Amino acid sequence: MTEIQEKIRLSQRKDNKGWKKWGPYLSERQWGTVREDYSVYGNAWDYVPHDMARSRAYRWGEDGIGGISDNKQHICFAVSFWNHKDKIIKERLFGLTGSEGNHGEDVKELYYYIDSTPTHSYMKMLYKYPQNEFPYRQIVEENQKRNRSNTEFEIEQTGVFNNNEYFDIFIEYAKADENDILIKITAHNRNKKAAILTMLPTLWFRNTWSWGYEAYKKSPMLTGIANNQIEVSHQLLGKYKLYVEGADELVFCENETNMERIFGKPNTAMYVKDGISNYILTGKPTTINPNKIGTKASARYTKKFEGGESHTIRLRFSQNSQNQKAFVDFDQIFDLRIKEANEFYDHIQQDIKSEEQRNIQRQAFAGMMWNKQFYYYNINEWLKGDPKMPFEFKGRAFPRNNTWKHAYMANILSMPDKWEYPWFAAWDLAFHTLTLARIDADFAKRQLAVVLREYYMHPNGQIPAYEWNFSDVNPPVHAWATWKVYEIDKKNNDGKGDLAFLEKIFHKLLINFTWWVNQKDEEGNNIFGGGFLGLDNIGVFDRNAQIPGVKLEQADATGWMAMYTLNMLRIACEISIEKPVYQDMASKFFEHFLHIAAAINKPIKGNDLGLWDEADQFYYDKLHAPNGETIFMKIRSYVGLIPLFAVEVIDEEMLSKLPDFKRRLEWVLTNRPDLASLISRWNEPGKGETHLLSLLRGHRMKMVIKRMFDEAEFLSDYGIRSLSKSHKENPYQFNLHGEILSVKYTPAESDLSIMGGNSNWRGPIWFPINFLLIDSLLKFYGYYGDDFEVEYPTNSGNIMSIKEAALMVADRLIKIFQMNGESRRPNTGDFEMFDADPHFKDLHLFYEYFNGDTGEGLGAAHQCGWTGLVADLIQYTNEK
């Protein structure tokens, strides 16, 4: 069998160097981020808005369209455009800020990640650029008219894509070697009429020299040679050249703030950041350096496109001297890398017969690869300011992340969405690693390791949540993700697991687990709180808020922690096979799980009760009121399904290898029948001599599953809803200090201001929770086999195994992306163009969440991270 070259490249080193040194590590949006915010009161969205971005040098990162950089983002490359009608050139993607959008921040552009190998030896994306003036004002004004009960106003509704009056611009990269990158930009005029387009491939340095640090006092340099080369000189990266074919001219300025425009002060640099932009727009050369030197440079290509015509421009960025040979082998290298990419994915997709599903999965993988980003945030420096500030810094009256001064982040991280969420989110990232592991297990493992390192994790053991509030609490899913990544990697490595990785992560997770026990179990009774836990506004009130005299005990938090204990138990057992001393840790987590099970399932006795409601046969949050009353918060939501996640199956063969653990386990079960009786029967072996640990016994599990598979409640045509549809006609109401609060089923965007109004867990379908539910059901099947049958859907009369039902749910989720009998894809909503137009119909967006009734995509449009789990579901359903 021919060796797969991409797999060979991946095997050469495990870090983000070598073939991974250069990649799509630029953000899609650096403006409006917390890191760039030096305002007194933390007004991040307003301090560096989109309108300032072209003129202001960033401090912590860079952005661009279809861009790449080195792994520390010193040298950056991206492409800018001008349609000769816009008042600004298109250097970066536009969208609404958190306060401008009626559902929070929202990118208002059409772009697609089409392909990428894990080493970025080949990459391809598509940007759709209108030929008429970009509707910046119309988008802002229309959204300002709308409230949270209205849908969002999208760019396709402005009419700028009518009559095909746009350019399709494909940006492709192919590596000839580790530091030798070929760049191809192909623009297609999709209209029948002629149109003019200026393309500006742009090279620049992240500004490290303006902040007063000795190590960066020397400014790097770009130098133009003739009209076809830009020489790059950087003190850390050395010398490179950008070879340019057929450019009209090379133009240069500095990546320095236009102080006059931004602050009304004299410029300290003669040719500032927006110099090239101003020259392109006005034709006046006074804003570019005539000596063709600077820290930012563009090659200008201005072409007239006849109707339907396309043009390609070629560049080569290389550390190797190419002289006159830069483009001799250009096309052959591109063809070879595309061939290698196809061979790599053909191997990954060998079990998938459907071409439609192969395309969906490959674009999901591409989105995961393109959503990598260099994330830089030194909180201590950010809080106190730099030795030399190019602007007046008055300190911070709102010291965001003030208790995280140890945090120093400078890594390639998997982002949720490089425009809407261009910062790492710890619990999102955990889900990303499963999909990443299928194509690049080493990168997935490094992602899990990095957020647990001492310069990320708080000294008290908390994992940082996300940059707006590192102290927020996210669900503890990292042990689960660690085990899943280990399993995927082990399977793809001929049954050999990476125990060193497992052991390393286990030690860090021990610290985090202790933080949870100490901080989120207020009464020490194994019932946990934690606030939103990622389910932003699913509760009746802001669960992050401290309400005087009110204490909330959460079914989801307690279910998450039960799951955490079992994940840690399973990891400890695996390590114990090689290192028997870890059997003690397995015993510790076994006993901890039993105590949580006892607490959540505790029978009613006065005001002391667990979180299982016998009347409704469902788990609910419980509230302790100031008058001593205990109240079930009877909202049927994901909160009550999460206890299903606490399930683990251990086979007799493993137990026989762990005699100390087995002995302790049997002693506890014999001598503490009060605990043993509250979980699924350990002493009743299942399929193939396996044993089950779970919060739910047979009857309770069937009752929860009955609601989950009920189409009048949780089961949608497109997966499991986050809130029971029964709350549409019967909203849950709660009297809090005389104020009536209500929870109503809302299948689409949020109608609340909680979390900025930019997400909603009161009805839509979310891939991460659906995936966990499917994964848990398959674990139950691993114990029960075909003997445990369920009705799917509820009241349908169709009886099947748990596995069959789980895969049916997976099929519904995949269906969101597939053409239905009406030649429509549910996630595209009302925009028929996306399904009928040949230039759209095979392109996929991976939205943050989906309408619980229609499957329409909502929220962040490129959240390939956790919605990329559709790639795993396609794998699951094709391996059945």
Side-chain angles (χ1 to χ4, degrees), residues 216 232 261 344 356 445 492 500 645 651 698 743 785 816 865 873:
Y216 293 106
V232 180
R261 178 172 186 260
F344 176 75
E356 184 179 30
K445 287 184 278 188
N492 292 337
F645 300 165
D651 60 50
V743 171
I816 289 172
L873 295 178

Side-chain angles (χ1 to χ4, degrees), residues 101 130 151 163 204 216-218 263 322-323 352 375 387 481 527 548 552 603 654 656 675 746 771 809:
T151 58
N163 305 314
W204 75 100
Y216 293 106
K217 66 179 181 180
K218 184 180 178 182
F263 299 109
Q322 301 294 331
N323 297 320
I352 303 169
Y375 185 80
I527 295 288
L552 187 67
M654 171 169 279
S656 67
L675 298 178
T746 51
F771 188 88
V809 175

